[in-house]
Amino acid sequence: MSNSLYLKFYNPPPALLASGSSRGVELGGSKLILSIDENHNFYNEGTIYTEMSWGEFYNDVIGLDDQIDTFTTQQYESIRDDPKALITAIVKSLEKIMAERKLFYGIGDFEVDAFMNQNTVIPGLKLESGLINKLMDAHKEIRDRERFPKLMKEEAATKFIHITLQGTNKQNIKMSGSSLEDIADRLRFAKGFATGLIVSSNKSANFFIMNDRIVFQEDEVPEFYIDKNGIMIIETGIERERLFPISWFRFDIGIRSLETLELWDEIKNNSLLSDAIEKYNVYVEKLIIDKYMSLAVSEGLEADFEKEFYSLNPAQRKKVLTDMAGAIRELTNKLEE
């Protein structure tokens, strides 16, 4: 399989690379601000928190050799309880995303429990005990044999790993489109979340969506499901020793994912944050206007298309962007008045 089939995740969190041995396991999690580029690659734009520890197993108590005796903090950083720092991180992330011609993707949660208990630790996901037991057994076997894949790579002094997006509804998190403008056109309406499992192969971290609540229309109501086909693939891959369970993930999608942050109600009216979000929304609108500019030119609107669009009030602009075909007609009529 060639690398062209993989996406890249730049500056991945330690939770994606967690490992273990017969002596202990890495435990913890990370919450990140994520962006994507026109090739659908993911970028860690800022850490909201990372908490990783090493759990040491009992080494001299019979029957407790897979039970944790002590915890040692490996990495800790957090701004989730600091309103000022959180605002600064979001603003800087949005500015960087626009400067580098990318898109704000959402908030990513990555949780590592080494599959050592029956309770799924990622919010919004509940799986059958049979699958959890298989994950627990598989994780113990690969840590005892120390078979965790080494995925980290580097290019131009930037670290990354290869990833794949898997699942029946994987298009809900990949955001179809062959250009940044296409992706922006789809992502701007996205809201909701997806949850699932990260199972690594020797070449990539594979994100299997177990369920999602992502919608692309205001009146759309998502149906609950568990991806049975994805579970079958994971179980088969584990049995064949091709896939290794690593962690859980949750993606909250779109600019509205900021509303899921614990401090959102406290920071949402901050002027710096509001201005940054408004500038980002205008940035996205410009991408979409550029996408449809050729159609505007074909209708004889030329440069006036963009000028007239920005003369509309926010409510009118939202309506226009909801249906670009209707936008062309509306702006044509406005110009002819």
Side-chain angles (χ1 to χ4, degrees), residues 260-293:
T260 67
L261 298 175
E262 295 176 11
L263 292 181
W264 177 250
D265 286 340
E266 187 172 341
I267 68 174
K268 64 182 180 181
N269 294 321
N270 177 270
S271 59
L272 289 176
L273 180 60
S274 298
D275 289 347
I277 293 175
E278 176 59 23
K279 288 178 182 177
Y280 177 76
N281 286 333
V282 171
Y283 164 79
V284 171
E285 289 175 352
K286 180 67 167 60
L287 288 173
I288 297 167
I289 291 300
D290 289 345
K291 174 181 175 179
Y292 289 96
M293 187 61 73

Side-chain angles (χ1 to χ4, degrees), residues 61-328:
V61 181
I62 297 175
L64 295 179
D65 57 342
D66 62 349
Q67 301 296 309
I68 295 175
D69 180 19
T70 60
F71 289 91
T72 303
T73 300
Q74 291 181 317
Q75 184 176 346
Y76 179 84
E77 57 179 307
S78 176
I79 59 171
R80 60 180 167 181
D81 298 320
D82 186 337
K84 184 176 180 180
L86 188 57
I87 290 169
T88 298
I90 296 171
V91 170
K92 286 185 175 180
S93 294
L94 291 175
E95 291 174 346
K96 184 171 181 286
I97 287 168
M98 290 185 285
E100 296 179 354
R101 204 174 185 275
K102 295 183 293 192
L103 293 168
F104 177 90
Y105 181 79
I107 303 296
D109 276 286
F110 307 90
E111 298 293 337
V112 181
D113 67 345
F115 304 98
M116 297 185 69
N117 62 70
Q118 284 285 348
N119 300 313
T120 311
V121 297
I122 204 74
L125 179 61
K126 181 68 175 177
L127 297 175
E128 294 180 358
S129 60
L131 174 60
I132 302 297
N133 285 334
K134 289 181 180 180
L135 295 172
M136 292 170 67
D137 291 342
H139 197 276
K140 184 179 187 309
E141 182 176 349
I142 61 174
R143 67 177 182 256
D144 286 347
R145 296 166 61 186
E146 298 191 16
R147 294 198 60 202
F148 289 93
K150 306 297 183 183
L151 299 179
M152 189 71 85
K153 300 181 183 299
E154 190 169 332
E155 64 179 22
T158 302
K159 294 182 178 180
F160 72 94
I161 61 173
H162 285 120
I163 68 170
T164 70
L165 303 178
Q166 307 287 343
T168 302
N169 288 347
K170 64 183 179 182
Q171 73 280 355
N172 284 353
I173 63 172
K174 187 174 182 180
M175 301 296 149
S176 60
S178 58
S179 68
L180 195 69
E181 290 80 4
D182 288 339
I183 300 171
D185 203 4
R186 182 164 174 78
L187 186 57
R188 67 194 169 100
F189 287 127
K191 64 178 181 178
F193 66 89
T195 61
L197 275 163
I198 299 171
V199 290
S200 292
S201 63
N202 287 323
K203 294 183 178 181
S204 63
N206 308 289
F207 289 65
F208 278 84
I209 306 172
M210 292 289 98
N211 74 345
D212 78 270
R213 289 284 198 278
I214 298 173
V215 297
F216 298 91
Q217 297 179 22
E218 289 291 338
D219 58 351
E220 189 176 355
V221 179
E223 295 183 3
F224 177 81
Y225 71 95
I226 293 293
D227 192 338
K228 299 293 186 180
N229 185 61
I231 291 174
M232 181 185 67
I233 293 172
I234 291 171
E235 291 178 332
T236 301
I238 288 174
E239 290 171 2
R240 295 179 179 178
E241 298 187 350
R242 300 281 184 86
L243 295 176
F244 312 96
I246 301 297
S247 62
W248 308 97
F249 77 91
R250 170 171 166 149
F251 287 152
D252 287 270
I253 306 296
I255 196 69
R256 292 184 62 179
S257 66
L258 294 174
E259 298 172 12
T260 67
L261 298 175
E262 295 176 11
L263 292 181
W264 177 250
D265 286 340
E266 187 172 341
I267 68 174
K268 64 182 180 181
N269 294 321
N270 177 270
S271 59
L272 289 176
L273 180 60
S274 298
D275 289 347
I277 293 175
E278 176 59 23
K279 288 178 182 177
Y280 177 76
N281 286 333
V282 171
Y283 164 79
V284 171
E285 289 175 352
K286 180 67 167 60
L287 288 173
I288 297 167
I289 291 300
D290 289 345
K291 174 181 175 179
Y292 289 96
M293 187 61 73
S294 59
L295 178 58
V297 170
S298 70
E299 293 291 328
L301 296 174
E302 299 178 348
D304 288 333
F305 176 82
E306 185 172 358
K307 177 181 177 182
E308 291 298 328
F309 173 81
Y310 287 110
S311 73
L312 302 174
N313 63 43
Q316 290 172 321
R317 281 156 58 178
K318 182 177 180 180
K319 178 177 182 298
V320 163
L321 288 174
T322 302
D323 182 356
M324 289 305 299
I328 301 297

